[in-house]
Amino acid sequence: MTTPPGTIVAEGVGRSFRVSSAHTRTLKESFVRRGRLRSQEFWALRDVSFAIEPGEAVGVIGRNGSGKTTLLRLIARIFQPSTGRLQVGGTVGSLLSLGAGFHPEFTGRENVYLSGSIYGLPKRLINERFDEIVAFAELEDFIDQPVRTYSSGMFMRLGFAIATHLSADVLLLDEVFAVGDESFQRKCFGKVYEFKSRGGTILFVSHGAAVVESLCERAILLREGQLVYDGSSHSAIQEYQQMLAEEEDPAERAAGLREWGSREVSIGGFRLEDVDGRERLQYLSGEPLVVRFDLSAARSVPAARVTLELRDRSNGLIGSSIVDLAEIGWGGSGDASVRFVLERLPVADGRFTVAAALTDESGKKVYHRLDQAASFLVYPDADVVRGWLRLDGRWTLDPVGAVRATR
């Protein structure tokens, strides 16, 4: 029976790899140690089952090493399952890593045709869409240069343009929005939504909760190679964030993770204001800044503290403020509204973000963390301020020869 285009059915799928316990470095060592090299079996996926209908958009989430990319590579037919059965209907377009499938010595033009032939498309169809692909990737001036000369952003743009413009029934995306400027990312999202509206099937790997929820109604959660949840994207993301609750600084932050925690107590309604309570996204340097957010406790907790962090455009920490909530009157249960007032913004110019963390008293257990809770712009005031930090000290003029006490 033929699998309908866009359908994906996995039944007990597993994939194992042989991993050598010793790394052979020289030709001599390979002969001397012949027959004595040991390897062990590693299961990247084990007994995974699900069914995806044509037109569904499904997120694939989980910790690093949980098997997300291996699953997408099986669906892309790069690997074959070691166990179980996997059926994929129709053609598959994939962007699993930057420039995957590109020949570094070929030009961008040649790689467009190479990728099209890998997808099994006739040259006539590639000719029809070539100009559109190049324009979308914004590579008109570089399309005849070898791709080894491309930056990582140019790689991503060309790969994404090929994957989304050539006819496919299934689109596989693995953290593809981590590279590129903000305007191109918006354009990529628009293209993905267009693909979805045409009835294409999407599998999307990302650590970004907001992106997964906006694109996918459903999500699959993997843990150590096994499927532990398959349901609404919102519930799957909550399960995933609870996995990270015991870590202050999960490794997944480098891949785009921006929110996690056990959610025993959670932060909501986060906003920036002026002193009169009006919401603000822009400030003059030196103006007061007010942070307001709500606390909601699913159950009583013995103690909790809040940390606010001010970070620059590159996510570097500028400063922080910490308060034990008991000190300002919150008893560990029920809902509450919290307000923090910074009398004078100490930064001079630029874009900044505020991160918020709600933890236990030790700071080890994370109830809820928002790595980018809010973003705002600061403009210089009328005074001449150089650099990004204000030095708001107090100036005085002392008489010449005045004696100062030194002890």
Side-chain angles (χ1 to χ4, degrees):
M1 180 178 176
T2 304
T3 305
T7 301
I8 305 172
V9 179
E11 297 178 354
V13 169
R15 173 67 194 192
S16 65
F17 298 91
R18 302 298 301 184
V19 180
S20 176
S21 58
H23 180 63
T24 300
R25 297 184 180 276
T26 66
L27 181 62
K28 177 182 177 181
E29 286 180 341
S30 66
F31 280 101
V32 172
R33 303 181 67 177
R34 184 173 52 188
R36 291 187 291 164
L37 290 175
R38 296 180 179 179
S39 64
Q40 60 185 25
E41 192 174 40
F42 167 72
W43 284 88
L45 287 174
R46 192 188 292 271
D47 195 27
V48 173
S49 299
F50 58 84
I52 298 174
E53 298 295 326
E56 279 196 274
V58 180
V60 183
I61 59 177
R63 302 215 59 180
N64 291 345
S66 61
K68 305 184 299 296
T69 300
T70 299
L71 177 60
L72 264 61
R73 287 177 175 172
L74 289 173
I75 295 171
R77 304 184 180 100
I78 297 172
F79 300 145
Q80 291 297 319
S82 302
T83 61
R85 185 171 67 96
L86 179 63
Q87 293 181 304
V88 182
T91 57
V92 179
S94 61
L95 190 55
L96 305 185
S97 62
L98 294 177
F102 286 175
H103 192 296
E105 297 300 328
F106 288 0
T107 65
R109 181 186 302 273
E110 291 167 335
N111 274 293
V112 171
Y113 284 93
L114 174 63
S115 297
S117 64
I118 292 173
Y119 290 141
L121 300 174
K123 186 176 180 180
R124 172 189 54 79
L125 182 59
I126 303 173
N127 287 337
E128 291 175 359
R129 301 188 181 175
F130 181 82
D131 290 341
E132 187 179 355
I133 291 171
V134 176
F136 185 90
E138 302 171 5
L139 292 174
E140 293 90 343
D141 296 334
F142 304 96
I143 196 62
D144 290 311
Q145 299 295 323
V147 297
R148 60 177 167 76
T149 66
Y150 286 10
S151 67
S152 59
M154 294 164 72
F155 257 103
M156 188 276 292
R157 297 203 304 267
L158 184 59
F160 188 91
I162 293 171
T164 54
H165 283 77
L166 299 181
S167 297
D169 301 297
V170 178
L171 183 60
L172 309 178
L173 303 173
D174 188 355
E175 295 288 6
V176 297
F177 300 120
V179 179
D181 58 34
E182 188 175 337
S183 63
F184 188 77
Q185 288 179 10
R186 288 197 298 269
K187 191 161 70 168
C188 288
F189 279 119
K191 197 64 183 177
V192 171
Y193 283 115
E194 180 186 322
F195 178 87
K196 181 182 178 182
S197 67
R198 294 200 310 264
T201 301
I202 298 172
L203 261 74
F204 178 43
V205 169
S206 177
H207 290 289
V211 179
V212 173
E213 280 203 78
S214 66
L215 180 62
C216 309
E217 299 83 15
R218 172 186 171 192
I220 291 170
L221 175 61
L222 298 176
R223 182 172 189 171
E224 297 179 352
Q226 295 184 307
L227 193 154
V228 295
Y229 186 87
D230 182 357
S232 74
S233 58
H234 179 74
S235 298
I237 288 166
Q238 284 189 323
E239 292 278 339
Y240 171 52
Q241 291 174 352
Q242 288 178 11
M243 289 182 182
L244 307 170
E246 299 298 332
E247 296 193 33
E248 295 179 80
D249 188 17
E252 288 81 359
R253 290 177 73 177
L257 178 69
R258 292 293 175 261
E259 182 179 4
W260 69 95
S262 67
R263 296 298 187 97
E264 292 165 84
V265 188
S266 58
I267 298 171
F270 199 99
R271 55 184 267 158
L272 303 179
E273 301 176 346
D274 59 20
V275 290
D276 296 320
R278 293 185 294 263
E279 187 169 10
R280 295 278 294 273
L281 298 176
Q282 300 178 18
Y283 294 85
L284 283 175
S285 178
E287 270 194 303
L289 177 144
V290 178
V291 177
R292 186 188 296 275
F293 57 89
D294 299 328
L295 297 179
S296 180
R299 65 179 182 85
S300 179
V301 294
R305 71 179 190 180
V306 168
T307 301
L308 288 181
E309 298 171 351
L310 181 63
R311 294 183 174 271
D312 61 20
R313 184 188 294 269
S314 61
N315 205 37
L317 180 62
I318 297 173
S320 64
S321 181
I322 302 174
V323 64
D324 289 324
L325 290 171
E327 295 179 4
I328 58 174
W330 191 66
S333 62
D335 298 342
S337 180
V338 179
R339 188 170 181 259
F340 170 77
V341 180
L342 186 62
E343 298 292 347
R344 288 177 64 84
L345 264 172
V347 290
D349 184 20
R351 178 175 289 278
F352 302 90
T353 59
V354 179
L358 184 58
T359 67
D360 66 359
E361 191 174 19
S362 69
K364 299 295 184 183
K365 183 172 184 179
V366 180
Y367 297 136
H368 195 188
R369 180 176 176 96
L370 296 169
D371 237 13
Q372 293 182 355
S375 175
F376 63 98
L377 282 170
V378 176
Y379 296 101
D381 60 7
D383 297 329
V384 178
V385 179
R386 298 178 62 188
W388 57 262
L389 182 66
R390 294 179 63 98
L391 299 181
D392 284 331
R394 184 168 58 89
W395 294 85
T396 62
L397 188 66
D398 292 337
V400 175
V403 179
R404 296 178 177 84
T406 58
R407 296 182 182 177

